[in-house]
Amino acid sequence: MVKIKCVQCKRKAIFIKPTLCKKHFCLYIEKKVYNTIKKYKLITKKDRLVVGVSGGKDSLTILYLLHKYTKNIVALCINEGIYGYREATIKDMKSFCIKYDIPFIITSYKEEFGMALDEMLQKLNEKPCTVCGSFRRYLLNKKSREFGATKLVTGHNMDDEAQAILMNLFKHQTEILMRLGPLTGILKDTQFIPRIKPLYFITEKETAAYSFLMDFNITYNVCPNAVHAYRGVVGTFLNDVEEKYTGSKKCLINQFIKQLPKIKAKTMKKFMRYCVHCHEPSMQNICKTCKYLAKIRVPQHDV
Amino acid sequence: MVKVYNEKTGKTLTIPFQGKVKELLKKTGHNPTTVLVVRKRELLTDEDIVAKNDKIEFRSVISGG
């Protein structure tokens, strides 16, 4: 019987590339995340962190690892209002936070904008993920600021980032590329909370394996709107490439990181405006969230 | 016969099989980068052997949202 052995201790491997046993795989993930934090100076001792969480594998992994790293964290969960989807992951997130004694906040589109996403989508002729993403980014920034956060942490992994790079290149949205990278936020601004992605160099499969090995209780649940997502198409394409040419995602990410300073230098002058309605940071005079809210005729939200 | 439970679909497939995990993945049309393969609560690598009568679980690594 073939038994692949851990390159560190010769016990049976549970993962290949890196070829490690359970113990050394978990140590590898933790070390890689903490090294990313240090190398890119993602967190300082003075930082107060808000962690955007969904209750899925990525958010629980980052929440757990940061909880080991610092006690200055709060979990922030946004209930978009997607029937039959978010309830299960919120339950998982709550149980997790209670187990590890992590303070958490739950807010919703209904509470903040007067309408759940499902209702918004009935009134807007837009792609669900575009609308949802706009409202979510808006709320994550606003709520993080309200809770005095100096950094907003997300559970984006290497796959998420590689997909975002390709999606923006395919759509020729090169200016949006500057928002990517392990640390976003190009100019210091009191209204905008910089975002950090400590799982930046961890693949989706690695995160899934880590959360499985750590026995995090995660309900597999698919957003009913995901079927419309462009991200899914790009993700499948990337996974096909990765299967045939191992290391392609890592190569893409590493090349992108090298180019990122040039992209930021070229485009940063055009940004950092404020929405004339809500005064949140925006790329245009009126932010996307306010444009959507005007279309669905919700009274102006609290600014 | 090997029983393969797919967490994503909630369906169980019973198939005649004996061989490496990577061959099972290929036979069932799964990309190895997108699933974790589990037997008795233990992760299997692509090179591990699946024996007759094994109960296997495929867990999707792709986030649902």
Side-chain angles (χ1 to χ4, degrees):
Chain A
M1 180 180 279
V2 182
K3 264 192 184 177
I4 305 289
K5 291 179 180 174
C6 172
V7 294
Q8 297 278 333
C9 70
K10 307 301 174 199
R11 273 187 290 228
K12 184 191 173 302
I14 50 85
F15 206 91
I16 292 179
K17 290 178 188 171
T19 306
L20 297 167
C21 66
K22 177 180 175 178
K23 178 188 161 190
H24 286 110
F25 178 80
C26 290
L27 286 171
Y28 156 84
I29 294 290
E30 290 170 18
K31 195 175 169 189
K32 204 167 179 182
V33 170
Y34 296 143
N35 281 346
T36 302
I37 291 173
K38 281 175 193 159
K39 184 176 177 183
Y40 293 92
K41 298 183 177 73
L42 300 186
I43 299 169
T44 66
K45 283 180 183 173
K46 288 179 183 174
D47 273 328
R48 179 175 161 79
L49 308 175
V50 163
V51 187
V53 291
S54 64
K57 67 180 195 313
D58 301 313
S59 61
L60 294 192
T61 295
I62 193 56
L63 200 52
Y64 175 79
L65 292 175
L66 286 184
H67 165 71
K68 283 177 74 174
Y69 191 83
T70 170
K71 298 299 166 202
N72 211 357
I73 60 169
V74 177
L76 168 62
C77 181
I78 295 173
N79 185 351
E80 303 91 346
I82 304 168
Y83 181 74
Y85 171 59
R86 185 55 79 206
E87 294 82 357
T89 62
I90 288 179
K91 196 178 159 197
D92 291 344
M93 188 278 296
K94 273 186 186 174
S95 315
F96 188 89
C97 288
I98 291 165
K99 182 177 177 182
Y100 292 102
D101 199 22
I102 301 168
F104 64 91
I105 311 149
I106 300 175
T107 186
S108 67
Y109 289 3
K110 179 89 177 170
E111 199 178 300
E112 290 291 325
F113 305 114
M115 201 176 280
L117 181 69
D118 284 347
E119 295 170 75
M120 291 175 177
L121 294 175
Q122 284 176 5
K123 293 174 183 271
L124 292 166
N125 184 24
E126 300 279 351
K127 287 175 183 164
C129 299
T130 309
V131 177
C132 187
S134 172
F135 281 100
R136 190 170 50 245
R137 282 190 296 275
Y138 176 98
L139 266 191
L140 282 171
N141 188 61
K142 189 176 175 219
K143 287 290 164 187
S144 298
R145 196 177 62 235
E146 285 174 6
F147 284 97
T150 54
K151 301 266 172 65
L152 167 61
V153 188
T154 64
H156 288 102
N157 59 43
M158 185 191 280
D159 289 59
D160 296 326
E161 190 77 354
Q163 289 158 13
I165 293 166
L166 283 191
M167 284 161 69
N168 286 309
L169 285 175
F170 287 159
K171 289 189 171 182
H172 197 60
Q173 294 171 327
T174 45
E175 288 179 345
I176 296 178
L177 288 171
M178 71 165 193
R179 290 185 192 167
L180 303 176
L183 170 66
T184 65
I186 48 168
L187 293 171
K188 283 190 177 176
D189 185 273
T190 51
Q191 293 293 94
F192 183 78
I193 308 302
R195 292 167 195 200
I196 60 171
K197 303 169 191 166
L199 299 182
Y200 198 83
F201 295 101
I202 308 288
T203 67
E204 189 150 43
K205 186 165 182 174
E206 287 172 339
T207 319
Y210 182 80
S211 61
F212 174 80
L213 295 169
M214 295 301 291
D215 216 13
F216 297 156
N217 187 25
I218 297 162
T219 309
Y220 185 80
N221 206 355
V222 179
C223 175
N225 297 322
V227 69
H228 307 288
Y230 181 49
R231 180 177 284 276
V233 177
V234 175
T236 303
F237 165 73
L238 265 171
N239 284 330
D240 289 344
V241 174
E242 183 70 28
E243 192 199 352
K244 291 185 179 78
Y245 306 98
T246 308
S248 298
K249 290 175 194 171
K250 193 177 169 186
C251 245
L252 176 64
I253 290 288
N254 287 338
Q255 281 305 313
F256 176 72
I257 291 262
K258 281 184 191 168
Q259 300 301 322
L260 191 56
K262 290 180 196 166
I263 299 169
K264 283 188 177 182
K266 271 188 184 174
T267 49
M268 66 194 296
K269 286 176 188 172
K270 296 181 184 177
F271 293 91
M272 207 45 73
R273 296 182 196 174
Y274 300 102
C275 170
V276 295
H277 289 311
C278 69
H279 312 303
E280 288 291 321
S282 169
M283 288 164 73
Q284 290 151 359
N285 285 340
I286 301 172
C287 74
K288 251 187 174 179
T289 302
C290 284
K291 282 181 185 169
Y292 286 141
L293 287 171
K295 278 187 188 174
I296 57 182
R297 293 175 188 166
V298 171
Q300 181 61 53
H301 50 287
D302 183 22
V303 294
Chain B
M1 299 292 267
V2 172
K3 283 191 175 176
V4 182
Y5 172 72
N6 188 331
E7 184 205 31
K8 190 175 176 181
T9 60
K11 289 180 181 168
T12 301
L13 186 70
T14 306
I15 48 168
F17 183 81
Q18 194 174 6
K20 288 187 178 181
V21 165
K22 64 181 176 188
E23 291 158 358
L24 178 63
L25 288 167
K26 195 173 180 183
K27 188 169 183 171
T28 52
H30 288 84
N31 181 332
T33 60
T34 64
V35 285
L36 295 179
V37 182
V38 178
R39 178 176 59 199
K40 293 179 182 169
R41 292 288 305 154
E42 284 200 356
L43 277 188
L44 299 181
T45 70
D46 293 350
E47 298 295 329
D48 281 320
I49 301 290
V50 175
K52 283 189 285 187
N53 305 321
D54 269 351
K55 287 179 182 170
I56 301 293
E57 184 180 348
F58 287 170
R59 297 171 71 103
S60 176
V61 307
I62 298 169
S63 298

